[in-house]
Amino acid sequence: MGGIVIVGAGQAGASLAQKLRAEGYDGTVTLIGDEPVPPYERPPLSKAYLLGEQARERLFLRPEAIYAEKDITLKLGAAVEQIDVDAQTVTVGGEAVVYDKLALVTGSVPIRLPAAIGGDLDGVFTVRTLADIDAMRDRFVEGARVLVVGGGYIGLEAAAVASKLGLKVTLVEMAERILGRVASVETADVIRAAHTRHGVDLREGVGLERLTGEGAVTGAVLTDGTELTVDFVLVGIGIRPATDLAETAGLVCDNGIAVDELGQTSAPGVWAAGDCTSFPYQGGRLRLESVQNAIDQAEAVAANMLGAGEPYVPYPWFWSDQYDLKLQIAGLNTGYDRVVVRQGDAGVSHWYYKKDRFLAVDAINAPRDYMVGKRVLEMGLDAPADTVADPTSDLKTLLRK
Ligand SMILES: Cc1cc2nc3c(=O)[nH]c(=O)nc-3n(C[C@H](O)[C@H](O)[C@H](O)COP(=O)(O)OP(=O)(O)OC[C@H]3O[C@@H](n4cnc5c(N)ncnc54)[C@H](O)[C@@H]3O)c2cc1C
């Protein structure tokens, strides 16, 4: 067949295929995905879709017919088993598909609880795919007791949905506080308060020792010795980049499939984008788990596969919805040494600095602060802390060079 083969029909895969066509590529494009459905967006899985407020059809990134219209061959329910970089083939269902260029956009794999502590019991769910949500949906009935393991965004969002639907929610976070890896104490405090207000039993510094039950989960023992009765368990303890296929094919991986600034892997003709990659960033390597990165990197890589030669520069942004809180994040707070709070009437924003250099902002019900912070970062401007901290200052002045 030849042409361009894309492995992974998710957020990045869909963007990459579309961008190839938008750039005028008229060779064969084959988009192969192991899930049985066309590319869809994952964020609503732990938000509006889980809550029952977003219809299934509205998850799909594009109507399925668009792929045929754009002459993109969509192979669904088809796992790529192997890549042969010398023969330039991928194996699907035992058959070899030839490529001229290959893009790996395989996403992430949720980390599961080990079977030794009950991770394989019936009623224990991860929150990654549409199939995961559809499998757990019937359990979301008023009064059901759910244990959420992990206080990152996904666990917290799922806990918020469960609580809104009237379930009895316990959330355990092994680290000393929720969102420890990704957000400041200030942001975590606002989020924790919302959960507590909504009746979630949120326990920090307490891990899961083991799950109990005969075949199906019925209980949990926590690291502090507490025993809980549970009807089901949601596991949100992180993800790892889906690199197995690449590693077996001999591609260099380093916290993700290692790509250069153009998105090229260590194998000639093989490119990668999205959650599964780590790319050069400020002298190190960065892996992002976000829709923004999946789309922007995939589009950059598509253009580069056609010869654009433009390095990918991320402008990270992210969001999370919990109860009536809309958290919007711009930038990366890695290495921050100071957080400046801007208290508004309706919301609050937390501005991260490293040696007085503005890095990132978490805006909670403060869309204007988010917009300004994002623009400041994109324009390479500064956000002096005294201006930010003064609630009467006009943030827009930060956008004047
Ligand atoms: C519940 C949830 C909520 C989220 N909320 C947010 C949010 O609010 N904001 C945000 O920015 N991000 C959010 N994210 C993260 C965001 O969805 C991901 O960063 C994004 O989907 C990454 O896109 P991707 O294309 O790299 O990976 P994916 O979308 O995961 O797509 C990869 C696809 O490749 C397939 N695949 C893997 N291996 C093979 C193979 N060998 N053969 C064929 N197919 C294969 C996978 O099954 C998958 O379908 C959320 C994620 C989840 C799970």
Side-chain angles (χ1 to χ4, degrees):
M1 195 185 292
I4 294 179
V5 171
I6 304 168
V7 181
Q11 188 88 56
S15 298
L16 204 147
Q18 292 269 125
K19 182 71 175 173
L20 288 171
R21 288 294 183 233
E23 290 286 306
Y25 176 70
D26 61 4
T28 310
V29 177
T30 310
L31 178 56
I32 308 174
D34 57 3
E35 294 185 66
V37 287
Y40 58 92
E41 50 171 357
R42 298 188 193 281
L45 296 185
S46 51
K47 307 178 182 79
Y49 182 68
L50 186 58
L51 197 54
E53 287 182 352
Q54 180 170 338
R56 191 183 167 87
E57 308 80 69
R58 287 199 40 232
L59 290 175
F60 297 107
L61 295 170
R62 278 141 202 131
E64 198 168 346
I66 292 276
Y67 297 93
E69 255 170 52
K70 302 261 175 200
D71 200 14
I72 296 165
T73 305
L74 199 52
K75 282 183 190 283
L76 299 175
V80 169
E81 296 131 22
Q82 206 190 330
I83 305 167
D84 185 332
V85 293
D86 297 321
Q88 296 194 191
T89 57
V90 299
T91 310
V92 194
E95 252 179 59
V97 178
V98 179
Y99 64 81
D100 297 323
K101 285 183 186 162
L102 177 66
L104 299 177
V105 277
T106 46
S108 300
V109 186
I111 298 171
R112 290 173 195 277
L113 291 176
I117 63 162
D120 60 349
L121 291 169
D122 191 31
V124 181
F125 301 94
T126 50
V127 189
R128 181 74 198 171
T129 64
L130 187 50
D132 288 339
I133 305 303
D134 291 346
M136 70 177 72
R137 183 175 294 291
D138 288 353
R139 311 268 183 153
F140 279 70
V141 287
E142 205 174 332
R145 291 153 301 187
V146 59
L147 172 66
V148 180
V149 183
Y153 285 121
I154 292 197
L156 288 163
E157 288 176 357
V161 169
S163 159
K164 271 177 113 170
L165 294 175
L167 282 77
K168 293 196 171 67
V169 187
T170 305
L171 183 146
V172 290
E173 168 53 61
M174 185 169 68
E176 116 194 345
R177 67 168 175 89
I178 56 167
L179 300 174
R181 202 171 55 86
V182 287
S184 61
V185 168
E186 288 81 355
T187 296
D189 286 351
V190 177
I191 305 273
R192 179 190 307 102
H195 282 275
T196 309
R197 248 188 344 265
H198 285 85
V200 171
D201 178 0
L202 197 154
R203 304 183 188 197
E204 294 162 293
V206 184
L208 173 72
E209 184 82 37
R210 62 178 191 282
L211 298 174
T212 55
E214 295 292 320
V217 67
T218 51
V221 182
L222 305 183
T223 49
D224 63 1
T226 310
E227 293 185 20
L228 302 174
T229 304
V230 301
D231 296 311
F232 71 106
V233 176
L234 300 180
V235 181
I237 55 174
I239 55 180
R240 64 171 182 82
T243 54
D244 293 359
L245 198 58
E247 280 180 54
T248 312
L251 272 61
V252 174
C253 293
D254 175 5
N255 183 30
I257 303 172
V259 294
D260 65 14
E261 65 280 3
L262 301 180
Q264 206 158 6
T265 71
S266 59
V270 184
W271 303 69
D275 273 21
C276 66
T277 65
S278 71
F279 55 90
Y281 185 74
Q282 296 185 348
R285 298 196 74 77
L286 180 66
R287 181 170 63 81
L288 291 172
E289 303 166 357
S290 77
V291 164
Q292 166 275 324
N293 179 63
I295 296 172
D296 293 351
Q297 195 187 11
E299 292 191 346
V301 168
N304 288 332
M305 289 176 86
L306 303 178
E310 296 247 346
Y312 167 58
V313 182
Y315 291 101
W317 51 264
F318 191 83
W319 74 96
S320 178
D321 300 333
Q322 296 170 46
Y323 311 105
D324 55 350
L325 300 182
K326 181 146 194 73
L327 168 63
Q328 294 169 291
I329 302 165
L332 290 177
N333 63 18
T334 319
Y336 70 92
D337 52 26
R338 183 177 176 204
V339 176
V340 171
V341 178
R342 182 180 172 89
Q343 186 65 56
D345 294 336
V348 64
S349 55
H350 302 137
W351 299 64
Y352 297 81
Y353 292 82
K354 182 181 184 181
K355 293 199 176 88
D356 290 332
R357 191 166 58 84
F358 170 53
L359 297 180
V361 60
D362 293 347
I364 303 167
N365 293 348
R368 186 188 291 256
D369 296 11
Y370 164 74
M371 280 310 297
V372 172
K374 184 166 179 276
R375 290 289 294 143
V376 165
L377 291 165
E378 285 168 354
M379 293 166 74
L381 301 174
D382 197 14
D386 48 351
T387 311
V388 163
D390 174 4
T392 63
S393 68
D394 180 3
L395 279 185
K396 283 217 189 104
T397 58
L398 300 178
L399 299 176
R400 289 187 206 130
K401 285 207 184 184

